[in-house]
Amino acid sequence: MKSIDINKVKPHLIAIGVFLLLTVIYFLPTLSGSSLSTHDVSQWIGMSKEILDYKAQTGKEALWTNSMFSGMPSYQISVLYPSNWVKYINDFLWLGLPSPANIVFIALLSFYILAITLKADFRIAIALAIAYAFCSFNFVSLVAGHNTKVQAIALMPMVIAGVMMTYRGKWLTGGALTALALSLEIYANHLQITYYLAMAVGLLAVSEFVNAIMNKTIKDFVIASSILGAVAAIAVLPNITNLMATAEYGQYSTRGPSELTEKKASTGLDKDYALGWSYGKMETFTLLMALAFWLLTHSTHNTL
């Protein structure tokens, strides 16, 4: 059996230690028993009380609640799927940290994996991970109680890392990482963010396709894409119950039909409402800072 080279593992152990220490220090009040009071979480406590009370009394999941509107399916509020083993992997990666410290820790670890995949020096990777996890948008969202959104954002880099590994010939490692990260991403249950992730991965696939044509490696591209298609199906399967329930409920939701396909006046939410919490047009230029930082660190990689 091949022994582990401790010198190769040591930088990653240091990174995990730094992330854990930083998370513990930053969220020390939470670890001491304090909690973040947020609007959306407070609303959820009220919405889910009847469901949780029923479960405490009977041990069963209630699929309907009278606490919202004139009554509605409870699986969009608080229903657990014990047969979904992704939950146990998710809880393990959180290392027992309370919310939202656990989400920030995963964001740190996730972006570190992406940076290492891009061959950044581990010190630069740590810095990039901190910049990503402690982005102001994440904390504004956490204060509002949008925990599942930030959880989904936190896992995006890990999915992209798995996809990039697969396209770069590490079919087994990349496929396994993609399956794991994507299953966790879907489990976070914020499909809007997952939709944006799918768009990013689609653009990445187009880039890899063009690269394959230029380098005459179409066969490798097809194999990698087939592996990614297979592992995507594997990632979906544990979450299929929740996804199907959401799809069914979406037909009756005020979210209504897609703005992209509706020809007439939409019966769902109008565009201003849907984009009300999105970046402002000028605010989008803050993304250039991340690009500039990456170019700077990438150019100095070989000198460190």
Side-chain angles (χ1 to χ4, degrees), residues 181-201:
L182 185 57
S183 62
L184 292 168
E185 170 74 27
I186 299 172
Y187 177 76
N189 198 29
H190 199 291
L191 299 184
Q192 179 186 5
I193 298 300
T194 305
Y195 175 71
Y196 296 153
L197 172 61
M199 294 172 62
V201 171

mmCIF file of all heavy atoms in Angstrom, residues 181-201:
data_model
loop_
_atom_site.group_PDB
_atom_site.id
_atom_site.type_symbol
_atom_site.label_atom_id
_atom_site.label_comp_id
_atom_site.label_asym_id
_atom_site.label_seq_id
_atom_site.Cartn_x
_atom_site.Cartn_y
_atom_site.Cartn_z
ATOM 1 N N ALA A 181 -20.153 17.133 -4.579
ATOM 2 C CA ALA A 181 -20.448 18.564 -4.434
ATOM 3 C C ALA A 181 -21.826 18.911 -4.990
ATOM 4 O O ALA A 181 -22.564 19.705 -4.388
ATOM 5 C CB ALA A 181 -19.373 19.388 -5.132
ATOM 6 N N LEU A 182 -22.185 18.331 -6.135
ATOM 7 C CA LEU A 182 -23.472 18.650 -6.741
ATOM 8 C C LEU A 182 -24.627 18.097 -5.916
ATOM 9 O O LEU A 182 -25.678 18.745 -5.796
ATOM 10 C CB LEU A 182 -23.532 18.103 -8.172
ATOM 11 C CG LEU A 182 -24.791 18.470 -8.978
ATOM 12 C CD1 LEU A 182 -24.974 19.983 -9.055
ATOM 13 C CD2 LEU A 182 -24.716 17.875 -10.378
ATOM 14 N N SER A 183 -24.455 16.922 -5.323
ATOM 15 C CA SER A 183 -25.512 16.382 -4.458
ATOM 16 C C SER A 183 -25.720 17.278 -3.244
ATOM 17 O O SER A 183 -26.856 17.519 -2.818
ATOM 18 C CB SER A 183 -25.165 14.956 -4.019
ATOM 19 O OG SER A 183 -23.972 14.929 -3.247
ATOM 20 N N LEU A 184 -24.626 17.815 -2.693
ATOM 21 C CA LEU A 184 -24.732 18.751 -1.576
ATOM 22 C C LEU A 184 -25.360 20.066 -2.018
ATOM 23 O O LEU A 184 -26.141 20.685 -1.280
ATOM 24 C CB LEU A 184 -23.342 19.013 -0.987
ATOM 25 C CG LEU A 184 -22.683 17.837 -0.262
ATOM 26 C CD1 LEU A 184 -21.209 18.138 0.012
ATOM 27 C CD2 LEU A 184 -23.411 17.530 1.042
ATOM 28 N N GLU A 185 -25.017 20.504 -3.227
ATOM 29 C CA GLU A 185 -25.574 21.735 -3.791
ATOM 30 C C GLU A 185 -27.093 21.629 -3.936
ATOM 31 O O GLU A 185 -27.839 22.539 -3.547
ATOM 32 C CB GLU A 185 -24.932 21.994 -5.154
ATOM 33 C CG GLU A 185 -25.575 23.104 -5.974
ATOM 34 C CD GLU A 185 -25.260 24.494 -5.465
ATOM 35 O OE1 GLU A 185 -24.188 24.663 -4.835
ATOM 36 O OE2 GLU A 185 -26.073 25.406 -5.692
ATOM 37 N N ILE A 186 -27.555 20.523 -4.483
ATOM 38 C CA ILE A 186 -29.003 20.323 -4.661
ATOM 39 C C ILE A 186 -29.684 20.161 -3.305
ATOM 40 O O ILE A 186 -30.792 20.653 -3.088
ATOM 41 C CB ILE A 186 -29.268 19.108 -5.559
ATOM 42 C CG1 ILE A 186 -28.656 19.335 -6.945
ATOM 43 C CG2 ILE A 186 -30.770 18.844 -5.691
ATOM 44 C CD1 ILE A 186 -28.700 18.122 -7.843
ATOM 45 N N TYR A 187 -29.000 19.493 -2.373
ATOM 46 C CA TYR A 187 -29.551 19.295 -1.032
ATOM 47 C C TYR A 187 -29.771 20.620 -0.312
ATOM 48 O O TYR A 187 -30.684 20.751 0.501
ATOM 49 C CB TYR A 187 -28.609 18.408 -0.211
ATOM 50 C CG TYR A 187 -29.054 18.197 1.212
ATOM 51 C CD1 TYR A 187 -30.093 17.319 1.519
ATOM 52 C CD2 TYR A 187 -28.444 18.887 2.264
ATOM 53 C CE1 TYR A 187 -30.509 17.134 2.833
ATOM 54 C CE2 TYR A 187 -28.847 18.707 3.572
ATOM 55 C CZ TYR A 187 -29.880 17.821 3.853
ATOM 56 O OH TYR A 187 -30.298 17.649 5.153
ATOM 57 N N ALA A 188 -28.935 21.616 -0.607
ATOM 58 C CA ALA A 188 -29.105 22.940 0.000
ATOM 59 C C ALA A 188 -30.477 23.521 -0.316
ATOM 60 O O ALA A 188 -30.989 24.382 0.402
ATOM 61 C CB ALA A 188 -28.002 23.893 -0.467
ATOM 62 N N ASN A 189 -31.065 23.087 -1.430
ATOM 63 C CA ASN A 189 -32.460 23.408 -1.770
ATOM 64 C C ASN A 189 -32.681 24.891 -2.043
ATOM 65 O O ASN A 189 -33.653 25.484 -1.567
ATOM 66 C CB ASN A 189 -33.411 22.926 -0.666
ATOM 67 C CG ASN A 189 -34.859 22.837 -1.149
ATOM 68 O OD1 ASN A 189 -35.106 22.609 -2.330
ATOM 69 N ND2 ASN A 189 -35.797 23.009 -0.241
ATOM 70 N N HIS A 190 -31.752 25.468 -2.813
ATOM 71 C CA HIS A 190 -31.994 26.825 -3.314
ATOM 72 C C HIS A 190 -31.762 26.753 -4.825
ATOM 73 O O HIS A 190 -30.677 27.031 -5.329
ATOM 74 C CB HIS A 190 -31.056 27.841 -2.672
ATOM 75 C CG HIS A 190 -31.554 29.257 -2.795
ATOM 76 N ND1 HIS A 190 -31.602 29.921 -4.010
ATOM 77 C CD2 HIS A 190 -32.064 30.115 -1.883
ATOM 78 C CE1 HIS A 190 -32.089 31.139 -3.825
ATOM 79 N NE2 HIS A 190 -32.377 31.287 -2.538
ATOM 80 N N LEU A 191 -32.807 26.381 -5.541
ATOM 81 C CA LEU A 191 -32.673 26.040 -6.953
ATOM 82 C C LEU A 191 -32.317 27.241 -7.826
ATOM 83 O O LEU A 191 -31.784 27.068 -8.924
ATOM 84 C CB LEU A 191 -33.970 25.385 -7.449
ATOM 85 C CG LEU A 191 -34.348 24.081 -6.735
ATOM 86 C CD1 LEU A 191 -35.584 23.470 -7.371
ATOM 87 C CD2 LEU A 191 -33.194 23.095 -6.742
ATOM 88 N N GLN A 192 -32.605 28.440 -7.362
ATOM 89 C CA GLN A 192 -32.221 29.629 -8.132
ATOM 90 C C GLN A 192 -30.705 29.699 -8.272
ATOM 91 O O GLN A 192 -30.178 29.912 -9.369
ATOM 92 C CB GLN A 192 -32.739 30.894 -7.455
ATOM 93 C CG GLN A 192 -32.354 32.179 -8.188
ATOM 94 C CD GLN A 192 -32.753 33.430 -7.416
ATOM 95 O OE1 GLN A 192 -33.231 33.360 -6.288
ATOM 96 N NE2 GLN A 192 -32.555 34.575 -8.026
ATOM 97 N N ILE A 193 -29.993 29.488 -7.164
ATOM 98 C CA ILE A 193 -28.538 29.510 -7.202
ATOM 99 C C ILE A 193 -28.007 28.325 -8.010
ATOM 100 O O ILE A 193 -27.040 28.467 -8.775
ATOM 101 C CB ILE A 193 -27.961 29.493 -5.777
ATOM 102 C CG1 ILE A 193 -28.404 30.757 -5.009
ATOM 103 C CG2 ILE A 193 -26.441 29.401 -5.812
ATOM 104 C CD1 ILE A 193 -27.972 32.060 -5.640
ATOM 105 N N THR A 194 -28.630 27.176 -7.866
ATOM 106 C CA THR A 194 -28.213 26.004 -8.640
ATOM 107 C C THR A 194 -28.418 26.241 -10.131
ATOM 108 O O THR A 194 -27.624 25.782 -10.965
ATOM 109 C CB THR A 194 -28.998 24.762 -8.189
ATOM 110 O OG1 THR A 194 -28.842 24.580 -6.772
ATOM 111 C CG2 THR A 194 -28.511 23.508 -8.895
ATOM 112 N N TYR A 195 -29.448 26.982 -10.481
ATOM 113 C CA TYR A 195 -29.704 27.348 -11.876
ATOM 114 C C TYR A 195 -28.570 28.227 -12.409
ATOM 115 O O TYR A 195 -28.068 28.026 -13.512
ATOM 116 C CB TYR A 195 -31.047 28.066 -11.970
ATOM 117 C CG TYR A 195 -31.399 28.608 -13.332
ATOM 118 C CD1 TYR A 195 -31.733 27.755 -14.379
ATOM 119 C CD2 TYR A 195 -31.410 29.985 -13.573
ATOM 120 C CE1 TYR A 195 -32.064 28.249 -15.634
ATOM 121 C CE2 TYR A 195 -31.744 30.486 -14.816
ATOM 122 C CZ TYR A 195 -32.071 29.619 -15.841
ATOM 123 O OH TYR A 195 -32.401 30.113 -17.082
ATOM 124 N N TYR A 196 -28.141 29.192 -11.601
ATOM 125 C CA TYR A 196 -27.024 30.043 -12.002
ATOM 126 C C TYR A 196 -25.747 29.217 -12.151
ATOM 127 O O TYR A 196 -24.933 29.456 -13.055
ATOM 128 C CB TYR A 196 -26.788 31.150 -10.967
ATOM 129 C CG TYR A 196 -27.923 32.129 -10.830
ATOM 130 C CD1 TYR A 196 -28.135 32.820 -9.637
ATOM 131 C CD2 TYR A 196 -28.806 32.373 -11.879
ATOM 132 C CE1 TYR A 196 -29.171 33.730 -9.502
ATOM 133 C CE2 TYR A 196 -29.849 33.274 -11.753
ATOM 134 C CZ TYR A 196 -30.031 33.950 -10.559
ATOM 135 O OH TYR A 196 -31.066 34.842 -10.424
ATOM 136 N N LEU A 197 -25.567 28.250 -11.253
ATOM 137 C CA LEU A 197 -24.413 27.367 -11.332
ATOM 138 C C LEU A 197 -24.430 26.572 -12.638
ATOM 139 O O LEU A 197 -23.387 26.409 -13.292
ATOM 140 C CB LEU A 197 -24.398 26.418 -10.137
ATOM 141 C CG LEU A 197 -23.351 25.301 -10.158
ATOM 142 C CD1 LEU A 197 -21.940 25.884 -10.188
ATOM 143 C CD2 LEU A 197 -23.533 24.379 -8.958
ATOM 144 N N ALA A 198 -25.613 26.091 -13.021
ATOM 145 C CA ALA A 198 -25.743 25.338 -14.272
ATOM 146 C C ALA A 198 -25.352 26.201 -15.470
ATOM 147 O O ALA A 198 -24.710 25.714 -16.416
ATOM 148 C CB ALA A 198 -27.177 24.823 -14.427
ATOM 149 N N MET A 199 -25.704 27.477 -15.421
ATOM 150 C CA MET A 199 -25.314 28.390 -16.496
ATOM 151 C C MET A 199 -23.794 28.519 -16.563
ATOM 152 O O MET A 199 -23.194 28.494 -17.655
ATOM 153 C CB MET A 199 -25.956 29.761 -16.272
ATOM 154 C CG MET A 199 -27.479 29.769 -16.392
ATOM 155 S SD MET A 199 -28.210 31.359 -15.891
ATOM 156 C CE MET A 199 -27.488 32.470 -17.086
ATOM 157 N N ALA A 200 -23.152 28.653 -15.396
ATOM 158 C CA ALA A 200 -21.688 28.793 -15.354
ATOM 159 C C ALA A 200 -21.009 27.526 -15.870
ATOM 160 O O ALA A 200 -20.043 27.594 -16.639
ATOM 161 C CB ALA A 200 -21.238 29.102 -13.926
ATOM 162 N N VAL A 201 -21.513 26.359 -15.456
ATOM 163 C CA VAL A 201 -20.931 25.097 -15.912
ATOM 164 C C VAL A 201 -21.151 24.923 -17.406
ATOM 165 O O VAL A 201 -20.281 24.402 -18.121
ATOM 166 C CB VAL A 201 -21.544 23.915 -15.127
ATOM 167 C CG1 VAL A 201 -21.123 22.577 -15.737
ATOM 168 C CG2 VAL A 201 -21.124 23.979 -13.663
#
